[in-house]
Amino acid sequence: MKRRLLLVSNSTLHGGGYLDHCHAHISTFFGNLKRVLFVPYALHDRDAYANMARTKFNSLGYELDSIHDAADPREAVRTAEAIFIGGGNTFRLLKCLYDNQLVADIRRRVLEDGVPYMGSSAGTNVSTVSISTTNDMPILCPPSFSAIGLVPFNINPHYLDHDPRSTHMGESREQRILQYHEEADTPPVLALREGCLLLVEGNKATLLGCTNARLFTRDKPTVEYNTGSDLSFLLTDER
Amino acid sequence: MKRRLLLVSNSTLHGGGYLDHCHAHISTFFGNLKRVLFVPYALHDRDAYANMARTKFNSLGYELDSIHDAADPREAVRTAEAIFIGGGNTFRLLKCLYDNQLVADIRRRVLEDGVPYMGSSAGTNVSTVSISTTNDMPILCPPSFSAIGLVPFNINPHYLDHDPRSTHMGESREQRILQYHEEADTPPVLALREGCLLLVEGNKATLLGCTNARLFTRDKPTVEYNTGSDLSFLLTDER
């Protein structure tokens, strides 16, 4: 399988600028290619979002085309050299991907043609089995929670450990993911703390970044993985 | 309109037991009636949930029947003297209400027959226009985000003010609600901090409890309301 993915937990790390914490990984990942197709659908102001992403990608030596400027979004995906889906609201993003009939096209381009795919936050959520482990508010209703399905598991980006000093009684992130696994036939959930990213090349998956991740699997104990860990076993759907 | 609603932000307040912080309001609200129909659909273990709710309601002098024990849930709603929908996961709850064809029945019983309705957390979310301002993880996909519609606005329960010391880069609750209002035709969102509740009697709405609330309205400044405030204006859909 030609699949190449760079799945980032968060676009901005505290104290840094947009994508600063992972720009070395972005350069290595996209290598010598020229142009990246950007998908800004997760934020309301697409022009401003595309400009911010363009500034960052230009500084790394890449041209950036935003899909919202394309006359035909499907054609833009069909001819893309690389794809980057940015963060924002996951429901808005997935609805817009469905509205533009892009879900299957992106899947095919990435899995069959080997087009490199980078996602950040919501862009990472939509690359997985479903958006059922997003943290976002359901401000719009997509026709399905099924997502692009580039990997056979789910991701929870911006994973946050419970603060034992907190007096807030809403569910912790861990409790929410465990509630997900109370439902039948739910895939593993890789919880990426802010600063963490996952590199997938074919059937090899590696945890990168400056923080660690937790893996939640239905009916199994939760496991902590350090940066650098080989998580390739997640790519074989054993359920 | 006969409508009577007690909409609670959270079932448990830090340092207290289940529904302790609002039990005086519950007694006043249900008054001399005998039996309350409990809806435990938001949590996975319905027996345990019903037992917990029954213990609490018995201590307040009410019998509690759980709808998951009823042979015919629709008949249970049709004959209910009062309804209490408990918290948990809002998506799971709304899906189960739709699966059992209860959404319209509950609306009719409350708005036409004047059956008192109490909701807590997820049970408060489903009483509003839609579940689009829940904080919960979308672990299941209901056929629609439209909810029971007992009031013409949305509620965000467990509202949490942004902690300026936080280094977490995920969206604040305020940012998420403002993203909701970027979308067209979105109703006001009453953000109930933990400890806060809303009493609705006919066309009168009053904020109760030990904390205050914030009202987010599309294209208008956000307004803070103290406990005791008359929020009846929210019941006239002026949009």
Side-chain angles (χ1 to χ4, degrees):
Chain A
M1 187 180 282
K2 292 179 175 177
R3 169 180 56 191
R4 293 192 67 235
L5 317 173
L6 188 67
L7 304 178
V8 183
S9 171
N10 53 302
S11 308
T12 309
L13 196 61
H14 184 72
Y18 180 64
L19 296 177
D20 279 354
H21 69 290
C22 55
H23 71 225
H25 293 298
I26 297 173
S27 295
T28 306
F29 181 69
F30 286 127
N32 291 326
L33 61 76
K34 294 276 188 297
R35 310 188 75 85
V36 173
L37 178 66
F38 178 60
V39 178
Y41 294 157
L43 287 187
H44 185 67
D45 187 340
R46 296 171 178 182
D47 288 335
Y49 198 12
N51 285 339
M52 181 173 72
R54 184 173 291 114
T55 300
K56 184 67 188 176
F57 274 73
N58 287 173
S59 79
L60 298 173
Y62 302 105
E63 296 298 319
L64 184 138
D65 304 305
S66 184
I67 197 167
H68 83 289
D69 291 324
D72 181 348
R74 297 191 71 183
E75 181 64 18
V77 166
R78 276 189 216 109
T79 58
E81 201 180 346
I83 296 170
F84 167 40
I85 303 192
N89 185 283
T90 308
F91 294 88
R92 177 190 275 156
L93 169 59
L94 186 61
K95 179 176 191 305
C96 197
L97 291 174
Y98 275 113
D99 287 348
N100 286 286
Q101 299 181 275
L102 297 174
V103 174
D105 286 355
I106 295 174
R107 183 187 300 124
R108 195 163 42 241
R109 291 290 283 146
V110 176
L111 296 186
E112 294 178 16
D113 301 345
V115 169
Y117 176 102
M118 175 176 160
S120 178
S121 192
T124 288
N125 273 126
V126 298
S127 76
T128 67
V129 174
S130 81
I131 64 164
S132 284
T133 53
T134 178
N135 310 307
D136 292 340
M137 203 170 252
I139 62 173
L140 286 169
C141 190
S144 164
F145 289 172
S146 292
I148 306 176
L150 303 178
V151 293
F153 53 91
N154 269 7
I155 287 178
N156 178 249
H158 299 273
Y159 182 75
L160 194 60
D161 294 286
H162 179 62
D163 177 356
R165 295 164 307 177
S166 172
T167 60
H168 187 69
M169 299 301 288
E171 289 87 346
S172 69
R173 193 68 61 80
E174 178 176 39
Q175 286 173 317
R176 296 182 189 283
I177 297 170
L178 295 175
Q179 281 186 338
Y180 176 59
H181 281 148
E182 288 171 346
E183 301 299 325
D185 297 323
T186 41
V189 178
L190 183 63
L192 298 177
R193 292 186 180 87
E194 293 190 347
C196 212
L197 47 157
L198 185 73
L199 174 68
V200 177
E201 298 189 283
N203 289 318
K204 185 169 170 63
T206 312
L207 199 63
L208 300 175
C210 59
T211 54
N212 301 326
R214 298 186 79 188
L215 180 66
F216 294 82
T217 308
R218 189 169 196 267
D219 296 331
K220 290 188 182 172
T222 301
V223 183
E224 184 86 16
Y225 285 97
N226 292 334
T227 185
S229 292
D230 184 338
L231 300 183
S232 305
F233 65 92
L234 280 175
L235 298 171
T236 55
D237 189 357
E238 302 172 314
R239 288 178 299 128
Chain B
M1 187 180 281
K2 294 180 176 177
R3 169 180 55 191
R4 293 192 67 234
L5 317 173
L6 188 68
L7 304 179
V8 184
S9 172
N10 54 300
S11 309
T12 309
L13 196 61
H14 185 74
Y18 180 64
L19 296 177
D20 279 354
H21 67 292
C22 55
H23 71 226
H25 294 298
I26 298 173
S27 294
T28 306
F29 180 70
F30 286 126
N32 291 325
L33 63 76
K34 295 277 189 297
R35 310 188 75 84
V36 173
L37 179 65
F38 177 60
V39 178
Y41 292 157
L43 287 187
H44 185 68
D45 187 340
R46 296 171 177 181
D47 288 336
Y49 198 12
N51 285 338
M52 181 172 71
R54 183 173 291 114
T55 300
K56 183 68 189 175
F57 273 73
N58 287 172
S59 79
L60 297 174
Y62 302 106
E63 295 298 317
L64 185 139
D65 304 304
S66 185
I67 197 168
H68 83 289
D69 290 325
D72 181 348
R74 297 191 71 182
E75 181 63 19
V77 166
R78 274 188 219 110
T79 57
E81 200 181 346
I83 296 171
F84 167 40
I85 303 192
N89 185 283
T90 308
F91 294 88
R92 177 191 275 155
L93 169 58
L94 187 61
K95 181 176 192 303
C96 198
L97 291 175
Y98 275 113
D99 288 349
N100 286 287
Q101 300 179 274
L102 298 175
V103 174
D105 286 355
I106 295 173
R107 182 187 301 124
R108 195 164 40 242
R109 290 289 283 146
V110 176
L111 296 186
E112 296 178 16
D113 300 344
V115 169
Y117 176 101
M118 174 177 161
S120 178
S121 192
T124 288
N125 273 126
V126 299
S127 76
T128 68
V129 174
S130 80
I131 64 164
S132 283
T133 53
T134 177
N135 311 306
D136 292 340
M137 202 171 254
I139 61 174
L140 286 169
C141 191
S144 163
F145 289 172
S146 291
I148 306 175
L150 303 179
V151 292
F153 54 89
N154 268 7
I155 287 178
N156 179 249
H158 298 275
Y159 182 75
L160 194 60
D161 294 286
H162 179 62
D163 178 357
R165 297 163 305 176
S166 172
T167 61
H168 187 69
M169 299 300 289
E171 289 87 346
S172 69
R173 193 67 61 79
E174 178 176 40
Q175 286 174 317
R176 295 182 190 283
I177 295 170
L178 294 176
Q179 282 186 339
Y180 175 59
H181 280 149
E182 288 170 347
E183 301 299 325
D185 297 322
T186 40
V189 178
L190 183 64
L192 297 177
R193 292 187 181 86
E194 293 188 348
C196 213
L197 48 157
L198 186 73
L199 174 68
V200 177
E201 298 189 283
N203 289 317
K204 185 169 171 63
T206 311
L207 199 63
L208 301 175
C210 58
T211 55
N212 301 326
R214 298 187 79 190
L215 179 66
F216 295 82
T217 308
R218 189 169 195 265
D219 297 331
K220 290 189 183 171
T222 301
V223 183
E224 184 86 15
Y225 286 96
N226 292 334
T227 185
S229 292
D230 184 336
L231 299 183
S232 304
F233 65 91
L234 280 175
L235 297 172
T236 56
D237 189 357
E238 305 173 313
R239 288 178 297 129

